[in-house]
């Protein structure tokens, strides 16, 4: 209705909806986990990233990258198994998420945050990214081929344009409104959404893509696009875990840790 009566206001409202992530309270288990870590605040151009590090500073680093509306400690099930294999772990909250400040976020925010964290850490052994965090991890790995050795993408979207269309459909927007909102956001960032396609982020590193065949939020076709874009990528397909239960599944965790420790899953 607003689109018909006041299209300018409808576009502004749509932009706010797409750039405002949901925030959730930290479960007690995640708060307790933070107590065992070293706080890792990293300055950014605006504000700072809030992160944590577990393990010894001299051990190879694995960086956990959460998805939209998530938190770094949402990937907590991976931490203890990685530490047991002689790796250290860093997790952080992206802009507009968790304990990091800001009310606005987006894939460009995720990319800048991960770049900032890697600049701070230097060379890292691997990235584990979930959902939007997986898409960001793939793009950053392709840019920093010498700085990241391996990657694990869990349920990664392959197209920002497709993700925007799916959200617009869920919100009941017309195609015209969705297109206008996308154009406004592209202008805001000075970036075309066509730049964020899986085929533009292929790299030389070994890559493990984990995706559930019944993922209703990010269909497995997206994960397959990432596999095809990376010459050294392989797929682990699960059944019945959906989009988020992957993060706590023992088989997924074991395959991820084996892969990052140099063993084939």
């Amino acid at each position: 209705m607003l689109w018909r009566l006041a299209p300018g206001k409808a576009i502004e409202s749509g932009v706010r909806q797409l750039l405002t992530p949901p925030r959730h309270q930290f479960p007690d288990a995640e708060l307790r986990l933070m107590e065992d870590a070293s706080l890792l605040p990293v300055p950014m151009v605006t504000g700072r990233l809030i992160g944590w590090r577990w393990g010894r500073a001299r051990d190879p680093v694995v960086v956990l990258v959460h998805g939209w509306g998530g938190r770094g400690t949402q990937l907590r099930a991976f931490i203890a198994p990685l530490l047991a294999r002689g790796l250290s772990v860093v997790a952080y909250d992206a802009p507009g998420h968790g304990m990091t400040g800001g009310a606005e976020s987006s894939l460009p925010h995720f990319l800048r945050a991960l770049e900032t964290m890697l600049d701070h850490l230097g060379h890292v052994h691997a990235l584990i990214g979930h959902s939007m965090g997986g898409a960001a991890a793939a793009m950053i790995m392709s840019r920093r081929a010498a700085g990241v050795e391996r990657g694990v993408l869990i349920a990664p979207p392959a197209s920002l344009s497709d993700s925007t269309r799916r959200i617009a459909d869920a919100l009941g927007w017309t195609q015209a409104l969705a297109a206008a909102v996308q154009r406004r956001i592209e202008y805001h960032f000075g970036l075309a959404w066509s730049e964020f396609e899986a085929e533009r982020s292929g790299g030389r590193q070994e890559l493990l893509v984990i995706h559930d065949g019944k993922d209703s939020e990010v269909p497995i076709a997206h994960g397959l696009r990432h596999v095809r874009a990376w010459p050294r990528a392989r797929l682990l397909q699960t059944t019945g875990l959906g989009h988020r239960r992957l993060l706590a599944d023992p088989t997924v965790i074991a395959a991820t840790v084996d892969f990052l420790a140099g063993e084939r899953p």
Side-chain angles (χ1 to χ4, degrees):
M1 184 180 297
L2 188 60
W3 171 244
R4 292 196 299 270
L5 299 176
K9 291 185 177 180
I11 293 170
E12 291 176 5
S13 177
V15 168
R16 285 195 301 272
Q17 288 186 60
L18 286 188
L19 298 185
T20 304
R23 283 185 184 264
H24 305 283
Q25 289 188 335
F26 283 81
D28 289 342
E30 294 183 22
L31 294 173
R32 289 193 297 271
L33 185 63
M34 293 174 194
E35 296 175 358
D36 298 327
S38 300
L39 185 63
L40 188 67
V42 178
M44 295 188 68
V45 175
T46 56
R48 60 180 183 170
L49 287 175
I50 302 299
W52 302 267
R53 184 167 187 163
W54 294 264
R56 299 175 299 185
R58 66 176 181 271
D59 289 336
V61 184
V62 177
V63 180
L64 309 180
V65 191
H66 66 79
W68 182 256
R71 307 164 302 281
T73 46
Q74 189 177 16
L75 284 75
R76 62 190 180 277
F78 294 92
I79 296 175
L82 289 168
L83 296 178
R85 301 294 282 273
L87 299 166
S88 63
V89 181
V90 166
Y92 66 93
D93 294 337
H97 291 72
M99 295 187 181
T100 293
E104 182 180 280
S105 198
S106 63
L107 182 54
H109 285 86
F110 271 57
L111 292 169
R112 285 198 293 267
L114 183 51
E115 287 272 21
T116 299
M117 180 58 72
L118 295 181
D119 287 343
H120 179 79
L121 295 171
H123 182 89
V124 304
H125 178 64
L127 305 178
I128 301 176
H130 174 242
S131 197
M132 184 183 285
M139 293 177 190
I140 295 301
M141 286 177 64
S142 68
R143 298 177 187 176
R144 304 175 74 117
V148 183
E149 295 178 21
R150 291 182 168 215
V152 178
L153 312 183
I154 303 174
S159 168
L160 188 53
S161 296
D162 182 76
S163 296
T164 301
R165 284 193 297 270
R166 290 173 63 85
I167 294 170
D169 289 345
L171 293 172
W173 293 357
T174 65
Q175 291 184 358
L177 174 58
V181 169
Q182 178 174 322
R183 287 194 299 269
R184 178 69 61 84
I185 296 175
E186 288 176 322
Y187 179 80
H188 174 73
F189 288 109
L191 296 167
W193 261 204
S194 59
E195 296 183 35
F196 303 104
E197 300 289 325
E199 291 73 17
R200 302 191 65 162
S201 64
R204 300 194 305 268
Q205 301 97 323
E206 286 197 62
L207 189 72
L208 176 63
V209 178
I210 305 174
H211 217 122
D212 194 80
K214 299 297 183 181
D215 189 332
S216 61
E217 294 186 37
V218 180
I220 193 171
H222 287 248
L224 293 171
R225 284 178 60 182
H226 283 282
V227 172
R228 289 192 294 267
W230 289 71
R232 302 177 67 193
R234 52 188 181 267
L235 175 71
L236 172 62
Q237 181 175 340
T238 63
T239 302
L241 296 177
H243 190 64
R244 292 179 178 81
R245 292 195 300 277
L246 293 162
L247 299 180
D249 181 72
T251 300
V252 169
I253 294 165
T256 297
V257 174
D258 285 347
F259 172 75
L260 296 185
E263 301 172 15
R264 297 185 68 87

